[in-house]
């Protein structure tokens, strides 16, 4: 009988993010240190690789915009602190971009294992390009996985944060390709009375189950 590798354990949407403490380029940090802020935790396969370099430059570009939204960036790979420091310094020298966020050195793969970042069918050691959006209460709100060969759409991560924060603030949903300033979806009615009232609710009314509205902020 052929043995197969165990499936990676993955966090679940709506559950508490797995806690951890690890060495980073900004010193030893724990996930708990970020409680009260949104967190974008992302992994990259390896330091000193071209695709990862483009992603780090792009993450650094949106870091100020994320900070304005109360979001902290936290990177990770299984490389050492020394490799992280050397690589981020080289990025600054070659591309004129300073990396402002901490990068976890996960040589023992503890954090990568907690978050299911290693896909054995792709690589037994390197972490895939994973993104976890964690809210201020420590709950996993979104997950995105990319293969090793495909760089992430960094602007989509910013859009995703905007959508999640808008959903929380206004108790609405966001349609496909939504951007701040666009119309949002009103939650579906739960009673016949609510459904009948939709046409008079001041919404952009298509049908009782499809109504749009505008929100500010």
């Amino acid at each position: 009988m052929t043995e197969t590798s165990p499936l990676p354990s993955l966090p679940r949407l709506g559950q508490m993010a797995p806690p951890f403490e690890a060495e980073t380029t900004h010193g030893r940090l724990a996930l708990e240190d970020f409680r009260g802020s949104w967190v974008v935790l992302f992994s990259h396969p390896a330091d000193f690789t071209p695709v990862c370099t483009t992603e780090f430059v792009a993450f650094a570009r949106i870091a100020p915009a994320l900070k304005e939204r109360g979001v902290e960036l936290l990177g990770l790979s299984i490389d050492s602190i020394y490799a992280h420091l050397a690589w981020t310094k080289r990025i600054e020298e070659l591309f004129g971009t300073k990396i402002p966020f901490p990068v976890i050195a996960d040589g023992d793969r503890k954090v990568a294992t907690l978050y299911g970042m290693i896909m054995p069918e792709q690589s037994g050691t390197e972490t895939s390009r994973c993104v976890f959006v964690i809210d201020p209460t420590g709950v996993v709100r979104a997950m995105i996985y990319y293969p090793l060969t495909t760089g992430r759409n960094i602007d989509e991560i910013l859009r995703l944060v905007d959508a999640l924060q808008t959903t929380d603030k206004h108790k609405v949903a966001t349609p496909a390709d939504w951007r701040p300033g666009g119309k949002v979806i009103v939650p579906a009615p739960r009673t016949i009375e609510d459904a009948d009232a939709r046409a008079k609710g001041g919404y952009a009314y298509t049908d009782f189950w499809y109504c749009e509205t505008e929100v500010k902020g």
Side-chain angles (χ1 to χ4, degrees):
M1 185 174 179
T2 304
E3 292 187 3
T4 57
S5 300
L7 292 174
S9 97
L10 302 177
R12 300 174 73 89
L13 293 177
Q15 289 187 346
M16 296 297 293
F20 62 83
E21 185 173 337
E23 295 297 330
T24 82
T25 52
H26 290 197
R28 192 160 187 85
L29 294 173
L31 182 62
E32 185 65 24
D33 296 333
F34 298 92
R35 186 62 65 91
S37 298
W38 290 78
V39 176
V40 171
L41 169 65
F42 71 95
S43 59
H44 65 280
D47 295 349
F48 293 101
T49 54
V51 176
C52 296
T53 298
T54 64
E55 291 189 322
F56 264 54
V57 171
F59 271 119
R61 172 177 57 81
I62 69 165
L66 287 171
K67 191 69 102 172
E68 291 175 358
R69 292 159 169 78
V71 183
E72 300 291 338
L73 273 170
L74 185 57
L76 175 148
S77 83
I78 62 171
D79 296 282
S80 70
I81 283 290
Y82 305 107
H84 286 343
L85 293 173
W87 180 46
T88 54
K89 183 170 180 58
R90 196 66 175 139
I91 289 174
E92 184 175 359
E93 293 169 349
L94 293 175
F95 300 94
T97 300
K98 187 175 182 64
I99 303 304
F101 49 83
V103 187
I104 294 170
D106 194 34
D108 57 9
R109 304 183 183 89
K110 285 185 178 179
V111 181
T113 300
L114 279 175
Y115 283 80
M117 292 174 170
I118 297 175
M119 300 292 167
E121 289 76 16
Q122 282 210 315
S123 171
T125 56
E126 295 173 314
T127 48
S128 298
R129 302 183 194 281
C130 311
V131 179
F132 298 89
V133 181
I134 303 167
D135 73 15
T137 68
V139 172
V140 177
R141 298 293 298 278
M143 301 183 294
I144 311 174
Y145 280 71
Y146 292 79
L148 303 180
T149 55
T150 305
R152 284 166 273 223
N153 183 329
I154 305 300
D155 289 332
E156 167 59 15
I157 294 169
L158 187 60
R159 190 197 78 88
L160 174 59
V161 167
D162 283 335
L164 291 170
Q165 292 185 343
T166 297
T167 294
D168 284 1
K169 183 176 181 179
H170 299 284
K171 310 305 178 189
V172 294
T174 53
D177 299 324
W178 176 87
R179 297 277 179 181
K183 290 180 179 179
V184 297
I185 303 293
V186 180
R190 304 299 297 270
T191 67
I192 292 175
E193 289 77 12
D194 288 344
D196 291 341
R198 281 300 169 91
K200 302 175 184 178
Y203 304 122
Y205 181 88
T206 300
D207 204 342
F208 76 90
W209 52 269
Y210 192 96
C211 295
E212 296 175 306
T213 190
E214 295 179 355
V215 295
K216 294 182 179 180

